[in-house]
Amino acid sequence: MPENTGHRAMAAAVARMPDPTGYRETAALEADLAAAFGTRRAVAVSSGTAAITTALAACSIGAGDVALLPAVTVVMTVAAVAAVGAHPVFVEAAPDGRGVNLADLAAKTGPDTKAVLAVHLADRTDGIHGLAVHTRTAGLRLIGDACQAQGAATLGRHAGTIGDIGCFSLKDGKIIACRDGGYLLADRATAHRTH
């Protein structure tokens, strides 16, 4: 087969293929997610863990910083904190079991503390509004790990929209699943998602 014929055949095959980058599909998914949550932007990433890691990086959380998170959490959240070089410090549950104990959180907040991660296990958003007030007052970033809380809401607000950035997973077994992937609700995370 002459070279020109081979090139034409290859070009014709490539023209029939879907976009290998998935750009159009990803942009449509991001637009649909932002509209569904009523946020300005959703950013697709490779997993829920990548969403949390990206959120931490977008908030300039890194080596030597402390991130507070609930003592009852999942290892992926801790792994994301460790991946950016920050130190996870665990906070006890509130006495009524709803959210974190704000007194323990305040006691464990120090000069190196930069962020609090709210982990919404099994769709639970307990105490998130009080935690948001506390973090704002303390000057800390609030990152919502809503990987298990897509569709959950409290006081008219979706999980992941209360705080600075909300993180979600699309892995098999999640409420909305597409084998793997994740996304975050944030305006400034796009520069970090490809790294």
Side-chain angles (χ1 to χ4, degrees), residues 81-107:
V81 172
V84 298
H87 303 288
V89 173
F90 299 100
V91 177
E92 295 300 321
D96 64 1
R98 296 178 176 269
V100 296
N101 184 318
L102 293 179
D104 189 45
L105 185 130

PDB file of all heavy atoms in Angstrom, residues 81-107:
ATOM      1  N   VAL A  81      -3.843  14.471  52.666  1.00  0.00           N
ATOM      2  CA  VAL A  81      -3.123  15.424  53.517  1.00  0.00           C
ATOM      3  C   VAL A  81      -1.622  15.103  53.498  1.00  0.00           C
ATOM      4  O   VAL A  81      -0.786  15.990  53.318  1.00  0.00           O
ATOM      5  CB  VAL A  81      -3.680  15.407  54.962  1.00  0.00           C
ATOM      6  CG1 VAL A  81      -2.815  16.243  55.902  1.00  0.00           C
ATOM      7  CG2 VAL A  81      -5.127  15.904  54.990  1.00  0.00           C
ATOM      8  N   ALA A  82      -1.292  13.833  53.642  1.00  0.00           N
ATOM      9  CA  ALA A  82       0.113  13.418  53.626  1.00  0.00           C
ATOM     10  C   ALA A  82       0.754  13.674  52.260  1.00  0.00           C
ATOM     11  O   ALA A  82       1.933  14.037  52.179  1.00  0.00           O
ATOM     12  CB  ALA A  82       0.230  11.940  53.998  1.00  0.00           C
ATOM     13  N   ALA A  83      -0.019  13.517  51.188  1.00  0.00           N
ATOM     14  CA  ALA A  83       0.523  13.694  49.837  1.00  0.00           C
ATOM     15  C   ALA A  83       1.025  15.110  49.587  1.00  0.00           C
ATOM     16  O   ALA A  83       1.963  15.304  48.808  1.00  0.00           O
ATOM     17  CB  ALA A  83      -0.526  13.322  48.790  1.00  0.00           C
ATOM     18  N   VAL A  84       0.427  16.098  50.235  1.00  0.00           N
ATOM     19  CA  VAL A  84       0.896  17.477  50.042  1.00  0.00           C
ATOM     20  C   VAL A  84       1.946  17.870  51.076  1.00  0.00           C
ATOM     21  O   VAL A  84       2.417  19.006  51.101  1.00  0.00           O
ATOM     22  CB  VAL A  84      -0.277  18.499  50.046  1.00  0.00           C
ATOM     23  CG1 VAL A  84      -1.231  18.226  48.895  1.00  0.00           C
ATOM     24  CG2 VAL A  84      -0.979  18.540  51.385  1.00  0.00           C
ATOM     25  N   GLY A  85       2.328  16.921  51.957  1.00  0.00           N
ATOM     26  CA  GLY A  85       3.361  17.172  52.945  1.00  0.00           C
ATOM     27  C   GLY A  85       2.855  17.779  54.240  1.00  0.00           C
ATOM     28  O   GLY A  85       3.646  18.144  55.110  1.00  0.00           O
ATOM     29  N   ALA A  86       1.545  17.911  54.380  1.00  0.00           N
ATOM     30  CA  ALA A  86       0.970  18.472  55.607  1.00  0.00           C
ATOM     31  C   ALA A  86       0.817  17.379  56.658  1.00  0.00           C
ATOM     32  O   ALA A  86       0.918  16.184  56.356  1.00  0.00           O
ATOM     33  CB  ALA A  86      -0.375  19.124  55.315  1.00  0.00           C
ATOM     34  N   HIS A  87       0.571  17.784  57.887  1.00  0.00           N
ATOM     35  CA  HIS A  87       0.417  16.848  59.005  1.00  0.00           C
ATOM     36  C   HIS A  87      -1.048  16.752  59.386  1.00  0.00           C
ATOM     37  O   HIS A  87      -1.657  17.771  59.725  1.00  0.00           O
ATOM     38  CB  HIS A  87       1.228  17.307  60.213  1.00  0.00           C
ATOM     39  CG  HIS A  87       2.674  17.480  59.925  1.00  0.00           C
ATOM     40  ND1 HIS A  87       3.529  16.418  59.719  1.00  0.00           N
ATOM     41  CD2 HIS A  87       3.432  18.600  59.784  1.00  0.00           C
ATOM     42  CE1 HIS A  87       4.745  16.874  59.475  1.00  0.00           C
ATOM     43  NE2 HIS A  87       4.708  18.192  59.497  1.00  0.00           N
ATOM     44  N   PRO A  88      -1.625  15.549  59.362  1.00  0.00           N
ATOM     45  CA  PRO A  88      -3.009  15.401  59.815  1.00  0.00           C
ATOM     46  C   PRO A  88      -3.070  15.361  61.343  1.00  0.00           C
ATOM     47  O   PRO A  88      -2.265  14.678  61.983  1.00  0.00           O
ATOM     48  CB  PRO A  88      -3.434  14.059  59.214  1.00  0.00           C
ATOM     49  CG  PRO A  88      -2.156  13.296  59.072  1.00  0.00           C
ATOM     50  CD  PRO A  88      -1.074  14.309  58.834  1.00  0.00           C
ATOM     51  N   VAL A  89      -3.983  16.106  61.910  1.00  0.00           N
ATOM     52  CA  VAL A  89      -4.239  16.074  63.350  1.00  0.00           C
ATOM     53  C   VAL A  89      -5.723  15.756  63.509  1.00  0.00           C
ATOM     54  O   VAL A  89      -6.571  16.423  62.909  1.00  0.00           O
ATOM     55  CB  VAL A  89      -3.875  17.414  64.025  1.00  0.00           C
ATOM     56  CG1 VAL A  89      -4.310  17.421  65.488  1.00  0.00           C
ATOM     57  CG2 VAL A  89      -2.374  17.666  63.910  1.00  0.00           C
ATOM     58  N   PHE A  90      -5.999  14.746  64.319  1.00  0.00           N
ATOM     59  CA  PHE A  90      -7.365  14.248  64.439  1.00  0.00           C
ATOM     60  C   PHE A  90      -8.112  14.922  65.576  1.00  0.00           C
ATOM     61  O   PHE A  90      -7.583  15.117  66.668  1.00  0.00           O
ATOM     62  CB  PHE A  90      -7.351  12.734  64.617  1.00  0.00           C
ATOM     63  CG  PHE A  90      -6.717  12.046  63.443  1.00  0.00           C
ATOM     64  CD1 PHE A  90      -5.397  11.605  63.509  1.00  0.00           C
ATOM     65  CD2 PHE A  90      -7.411  11.878  62.265  1.00  0.00           C
ATOM     66  CE1 PHE A  90      -4.800  11.004  62.420  1.00  0.00           C
ATOM     67  CE2 PHE A  90      -6.817  11.279  61.164  1.00  0.00           C
ATOM     68  CZ  PHE A  90      -5.510  10.832  61.242  1.00  0.00           C
ATOM     69  N   VAL A  91      -9.376  15.257  65.298  1.00  0.00           N
ATOM     70  CA  VAL A  91     -10.247  15.948  66.238  1.00  0.00           C
ATOM     71  C   VAL A  91     -11.368  15.000  66.649  1.00  0.00           C
ATOM     72  O   VAL A  91     -11.942  14.301  65.796  1.00  0.00           O
ATOM     73  CB  VAL A  91     -10.828  17.222  65.590  1.00  0.00           C
ATOM     74  CG1 VAL A  91     -11.792  17.929  66.529  1.00  0.00           C
ATOM     75  CG2 VAL A  91      -9.704  18.155  65.156  1.00  0.00           C
ATOM     76  N   GLU A  92     -11.674  14.995  67.932  1.00  0.00           N
ATOM     77  CA  GLU A  92     -12.729  14.121  68.453  1.00  0.00           C
ATOM     78  C   GLU A  92     -14.105  14.547  67.944  1.00  0.00           C
ATOM     79  O   GLU A  92     -14.317  15.696  67.553  1.00  0.00           O
ATOM     80  CB  GLU A  92     -12.720  14.132  69.983  1.00  0.00           C
ATOM     81  CG  GLU A  92     -11.466  13.534  70.579  1.00  0.00           C
ATOM     82  CD  GLU A  92     -11.241  12.081  70.176  1.00  0.00           C
ATOM     83  OE1 GLU A  92     -12.216  11.307  70.098  1.00  0.00           O
ATOM     84  OE2 GLU A  92     -10.078  11.718  69.921  1.00  0.00           O
ATOM     85  N   ALA A  93     -15.041  13.621  68.010  1.00  0.00           N
ATOM     86  CA  ALA A  93     -16.422  13.899  67.622  1.00  0.00           C
ATOM     87  C   ALA A  93     -17.090  14.773  68.673  1.00  0.00           C
ATOM     88  O   ALA A  93     -16.692  14.780  69.845  1.00  0.00           O
ATOM     89  CB  ALA A  93     -17.197  12.594  67.459  1.00  0.00           C
ATOM     90  N   ALA A  94     -18.107  15.501  68.272  1.00  0.00           N
ATOM     91  CA  ALA A  94     -18.906  16.306  69.200  1.00  0.00           C
ATOM     92  C   ALA A  94     -19.548  15.366  70.224  1.00  0.00           C
ATOM     93  O   ALA A  94     -19.799  14.192  69.926  1.00  0.00           O
ATOM     94  CB  ALA A  94     -19.967  17.083  68.440  1.00  0.00           C
ATOM     95  N   PRO A  95     -19.817  15.874  71.425  1.00  0.00           N
ATOM     96  CA  PRO A  95     -20.416  15.022  72.455  1.00  0.00           C
ATOM     97  C   PRO A  95     -21.710  14.323  72.012  1.00  0.00           C
ATOM     98  O   PRO A  95     -21.967  13.191  72.402  1.00  0.00           O
ATOM     99  CB  PRO A  95     -20.687  15.993  73.612  1.00  0.00           C
ATOM    100  CG  PRO A  95     -19.687  17.088  73.414  1.00  0.00           C
ATOM    101  CD  PRO A  95     -19.518  17.207  71.923  1.00  0.00           C
ATOM    102  N   ASP A  96     -22.492  14.974  71.168  1.00  0.00           N
ATOM    103  CA  ASP A  96     -23.728  14.354  70.686  1.00  0.00           C
ATOM    104  C   ASP A  96     -23.500  13.500  69.441  1.00  0.00           C
ATOM    105  O   ASP A  96     -24.437  12.961  68.857  1.00  0.00           O
ATOM    106  CB  ASP A  96     -24.805  15.410  70.418  1.00  0.00           C
ATOM    107  CG  ASP A  96     -24.422  16.379  69.300  1.00  0.00           C
ATOM    108  OD1 ASP A  96     -23.323  16.244  68.703  1.00  0.00           O
ATOM    109  OD2 ASP A  96     -25.230  17.277  69.014  1.00  0.00           O
ATOM    110  N   GLY A  97     -22.232  13.376  69.009  1.00  0.00           N
ATOM    111  CA  GLY A  97     -21.906  12.565  67.838  1.00  0.00           C
ATOM    112  C   GLY A  97     -22.176  13.251  66.526  1.00  0.00           C
ATOM    113  O   GLY A  97     -22.033  12.658  65.458  1.00  0.00           O
ATOM    114  N   ARG A  98     -22.553  14.509  66.554  1.00  0.00           N
ATOM    115  CA  ARG A  98     -22.881  15.243  65.324  1.00  0.00           C
ATOM    116  C   ARG A  98     -21.744  16.194  64.966  1.00  0.00           C
ATOM    117  O   ARG A  98     -21.622  17.263  65.535  1.00  0.00           O
ATOM    118  CB  ARG A  98     -24.185  16.015  65.499  1.00  0.00           C
ATOM    119  CG  ARG A  98     -25.367  15.103  65.721  1.00  0.00           C
ATOM    120  CD  ARG A  98     -26.617  15.934  65.945  1.00  0.00           C
ATOM    121  NE  ARG A  98     -27.765  15.083  66.060  1.00  0.00           N
ATOM    122  CZ  ARG A  98     -28.533  14.704  65.038  1.00  0.00           C
ATOM    123  NH1 ARG A  98     -28.243  15.105  63.826  1.00  0.00           N
ATOM    124  NH2 ARG A  98     -29.571  13.930  65.232  1.00  0.00           N
ATOM    125  N   GLY A  99     -20.901  15.777  64.049  1.00  0.00           N
ATOM    126  CA  GLY A  99     -19.785  16.606  63.628  1.00  0.00           C
ATOM    127  C   GLY A  99     -18.604  16.508  64.569  1.00  0.00           C
ATOM    128  O   GLY A  99     -18.497  15.586  65.368  1.00  0.00           O
ATOM    129  N   VAL A 100     -17.709  17.496  64.456  1.00  0.00           N
ATOM    130  CA  VAL A 100     -16.510  17.490  65.297  1.00  0.00           C
ATOM    131  C   VAL A 100     -16.753  18.296  66.563  1.00  0.00           C
ATOM    132  O   VAL A 100     -17.598  19.183  66.607  1.00  0.00           O
ATOM    133  CB  VAL A 100     -15.272  18.038  64.549  1.00  0.00           C
ATOM    134  CG1 VAL A 100     -14.903  17.162  63.380  1.00  0.00           C
ATOM    135  CG2 VAL A 100     -15.460  19.472  64.122  1.00  0.00           C
ATOM    136  N   ASN A 101     -15.968  17.987  67.566  1.00  0.00           N
ATOM    137  CA  ASN A 101     -16.012  18.698  68.836  1.00  0.00           C
ATOM    138  C   ASN A 101     -15.264  20.017  68.642  1.00  0.00           C
ATOM    139  O   ASN A 101     -14.039  20.032  68.496  1.00  0.00           O
ATOM    140  CB  ASN A 101     -15.356  17.837  69.921  1.00  0.00           C
ATOM    141  CG  ASN A 101     -15.432  18.453  71.283  1.00  0.00           C
ATOM    142  OD1 ASN A 101     -15.233  19.649  71.442  1.00  0.00           O
ATOM    143  ND2 ASN A 101     -15.705  17.616  72.275  1.00  0.00           N
ATOM    144  N   LEU A 102     -15.991  21.123  68.632  1.00  0.00           N
ATOM    145  CA  LEU A 102     -15.368  22.420  68.359  1.00  0.00           C
ATOM    146  C   LEU A 102     -14.377  22.828  69.449  1.00  0.00           C
ATOM    147  O   LEU A 102     -13.388  23.495  69.166  1.00  0.00           O
ATOM    148  CB  LEU A 102     -16.440  23.493  68.163  1.00  0.00           C
ATOM    149  CG  LEU A 102     -17.312  23.317  66.911  1.00  0.00           C
ATOM    150  CD1 LEU A 102     -18.360  24.416  66.835  1.00  0.00           C
ATOM    151  CD2 LEU A 102     -16.479  23.272  65.646  1.00  0.00           C
ATOM    152  N   ALA A 103     -14.615  22.399  70.694  1.00  0.00           N
ATOM    153  CA  ALA A 103     -13.664  22.709  71.773  1.00  0.00           C
ATOM    154  C   ALA A 103     -12.352  21.970  71.536  1.00  0.00           C
ATOM    155  O   ALA A 103     -11.265  22.542  71.702  1.00  0.00           O
ATOM    156  CB  ALA A 103     -14.256  22.351  73.131  1.00  0.00           C
ATOM    157  N   ASP A 104     -12.432  20.690  71.129  1.00  0.00           N
ATOM    158  CA  ASP A 104     -11.217  19.923  70.834  1.00  0.00           C
ATOM    159  C   ASP A 104     -10.514  20.497  69.613  1.00  0.00           C
ATOM    160  O   ASP A 104      -9.287  20.599  69.579  1.00  0.00           O
ATOM    161  CB  ASP A 104     -11.571  18.445  70.619  1.00  0.00           C
ATOM    162  CG  ASP A 104     -10.326  17.561  70.528  1.00  0.00           C
ATOM    163  OD1 ASP A 104      -9.407  17.740  71.354  1.00  0.00           O
ATOM    164  OD2 ASP A 104     -10.277  16.703  69.628  1.00  0.00           O
ATOM    165  N   LEU A 105     -11.294  20.913  68.621  1.00  0.00           N
ATOM    166  CA  LEU A 105     -10.721  21.520  67.419  1.00  0.00           C
ATOM    167  C   LEU A 105      -9.969  22.801  67.789  1.00  0.00           C
ATOM    168  O   LEU A 105      -8.832  23.011  67.359  1.00  0.00           O
ATOM    169  CB  LEU A 105     -11.825  21.814  66.401  1.00  0.00           C
ATOM    170  CG  LEU A 105     -11.327  22.331  65.053  1.00  0.00           C
ATOM    171  CD1 LEU A 105     -11.966  21.538  63.928  1.00  0.00           C
ATOM    172  CD2 LEU A 105     -11.661  23.793  64.898  1.00  0.00           C
ATOM    173  N   ALA A 106     -10.571  23.640  68.625  1.00  0.00           N
ATOM    174  CA  ALA A 106      -9.921  24.886  69.041  1.00  0.00           C
ATOM    175  C   ALA A 106      -8.645  24.596  69.826  1.00  0.00           C
ATOM    176  O   ALA A 106      -7.627  25.271  69.627  1.00  0.00           O
ATOM    177  CB  ALA A 106     -10.886  25.736  69.865  1.00  0.00           C
ATOM    178  N   ALA A 107      -8.691  23.571  70.686  1.00  0.00           N
ATOM    179  CA  ALA A 107      -7.519  23.218  71.489  1.00  0.00           C
ATOM    180  C   ALA A 107      -6.375  22.708  70.620  1.00  0.00           C
ATOM    181  O   ALA A 107      -5.201  22.884  70.964  1.00  0.00           O
ATOM    182  CB  ALA A 107      -7.896  22.166  72.532  1.00  0.00           C
TER     183      ALA A 107
END
